[in-house]
Every structure is written in C-alpha cells, then in structure tokens.
Amino acid sequence: MAQPAGGRAVTVSDVQQLVRKKDEIEAQIKAYYEVLEDQKGVGMNEPLVDVEGFPRADIDLYQVRTARHNIICLQNDHKALMKQVEEALHQLHAREKEKHAKDEAEALAEAMNQNQSLPQAFAKVNAVTPGSPASISGLQVDDEIVEFGSVNVHNFQNLQNIATVVQHSEGRPLSVTVIRSGKKVHVGLTPKRWAGKGLLGCNIIPLQR
C-alpha cells in the first residue's frame, strides 16, 4: 500500500480514515442499488430491452445504466480500499510486535545491568528456624549476605567474623543487607536469647567465589 504523505509509518488514525472511506463507499453502493430497486427492481444483470428487443419503456434507462456503471466502479474502489486496510493493519501489527520485542530486550538489558550492579555476597542463609530472631527479622533461606553489621565482602575471612559481630550486638539491632531474587533487601536483625540454640536461629554458610 502507498505510505501516507512523506513516507511516514502508518498510524491508527490512517487506518480509521481508510475505514471511514470504506463506509462511505459502501453507503454509496447501497444508494445506487436502491436506485435500481426503484426501477422495477432491475438489478445488475436484468436485460434493458423487452422481448422484442426494444429498449424498455417502463424504466429510466439512463438512470439504470448510470447506477450500474457507478456500482461497478465503487465495487472496484471498495476492493482496493479493503486491500489497503488489510495492509495497514498488518503494518501496525508488525510494528506493535517489533515494539514489544524491543521493550522485552530493554527490560532484559535493564535486569542484566541491575544484576551487574548488585554488590557481591560473601555468605548464604541455608536454614532459618521458625520463631527465631532471624525468622522474625524476615531473613529467608537462600538469602545471600552482602553486609552483616560491619562485615562485608572486603573484610570477610570466615564465619567467626559474623559470630563476633553477633556476640557484640546481643539485644541491639544489626543492619543486614541481602540479595533476594536478584534484588537488594535490607533486614533489621536483633541477636537475642530465645528458646532455641544461639542468638539468631539460622544457619549461614560461606559462598565459594
């Protein structure tokens, strides 16, 4: 189909304009068929001469011929217009599909950038006991620890570093940062005595990098 003026891409407005033209043509065809109907119900193919071969005197021959000619022209226009509408819709659909693919690619790139910009974890939670201080704070299994109080990837040597921070922070809230489902999450954890063992009620293992 011919592109709109200036070779720009087809828009929804262009399609609506084509549909309006289609409706106008259909209305004109209907009006000409009504003209034929008024002429003794003469359609597109009935003979315009009587049985003896003389022009029929009971109808307006000029009106009938004009209406028939206009109907044929309009039907051709209608057919061409329908093809334009179809091609325009196809272009719109293809562009929508392309935009969707682009949006998906951008979202993926953004997610990858976010992953690249996430801080490095040094340990992982592999067990949390229900009702424990760790559980109450919202710490979850598979949380990867980025910061545990003053301990981070740069100064972490072994789990004794975390144990020391926990012992020195009994009864006081500790700021813990973890990576959960690809996002950074902050947790306020207060080490304290509870019904179970230790001050946390969770098990932490170092991450092999």
Side-chain angles (χ1 to χ4, degrees):
M1 97 175 246
Q3 288 270 352
R8 64 182 174 78
V10 174
T11 65
V12 174
S13 167
D14 294 323
V15 176
Q16 288 170 339
Q17 202 173 343
L18 288 172
V19 170
R20 276 197 296 274
K21 278 187 192 171
K22 175 189 80 73
D23 292 343
E24 284 167 18
I25 289 174
E26 285 171 357
Q28 286 173 8
I29 290 172
K30 185 171 180 283
Y32 283 121
Y33 267 115
E34 283 169 1
V35 168
L36 295 180
E37 191 60 37
D38 288 344
Q39 295 295 320
K40 308 284 184 189
V42 170
M44 291 296 288
N45 304 311
E46 283 80 354
L48 302 184
V49 292
D50 59 23
V51 288
E52 294 173 0
F54 291 106
R56 285 174 61 173
D58 61 333
I59 57 175
D60 185 330
L61 291 173
Y62 176 76
Q63 248 193 348
V64 170
R65 286 201 182 101
T66 303
R68 283 181 173 182
H69 172 75
N70 288 342
I71 286 170
I72 290 165
C73 291
L74 286 166
Q75 281 175 337
N76 289 335
D77 289 348
H78 186 269
K79 193 175 172 185
L81 201 57
M82 286 304 288
K83 194 166 186 296
Q84 278 192 317
V85 169
E86 191 183 327
E87 285 179 13
L89 287 170
H90 177 71
Q91 277 191 36
L92 276 180
H93 178 68
R95 205 161 71 244
E96 196 58 42
K97 203 170 167 187
E98 192 182 309
K99 181 180 177 293
H100 181 65
K102 190 180 167 198
D103 288 349
E104 276 192 342
E106 282 175 2
L108 184 64
E110 192 180 325
M112 285 174 72
N113 284 340
Q114 193 179 13
N115 284 342
Q116 284 165 7
S117 63
L118 284 172
Q120 196 177 344
F122 59 86
K124 181 179 177 179
V125 179
N126 71 344
V128 177
T129 308
S132 66
S135 172
I136 292 163
S137 75
L139 213 56
Q140 295 179 13
V141 171
D142 288 336
D143 280 351
E144 294 190 355
I145 300 170
V146 172
E147 286 176 356
F148 195 100
S150 58
V151 183
N152 58 43
V153 71
H154 304 297
N155 60 19
F156 175 75
Q157 291 169 327
N158 53 48
L159 292 177
Q160 188 55 47
N161 301 134
I162 292 178
T164 304
V165 169
V166 169
Q167 284 156 13
H168 288 150
S169 304
E170 187 177 345
R172 294 203 308 270
L174 268 174
S175 175
V176 178
T177 305
V178 300
I179 295 168
R180 182 183 298 160
S181 306
K183 291 180 181 163
K184 202 158 73 161
V185 179
H186 295 285
V187 175
L189 173 60
T190 304
K192 61 185 175 187
R193 303 275 166 200
W194 63 293
K197 284 197 314 183
L199 300 173
L200 296 180
C202 66
N203 196 52
I204 295 169
I205 53 170
L207 280 175
Q208 301 300 322
R209 291 294 180 193

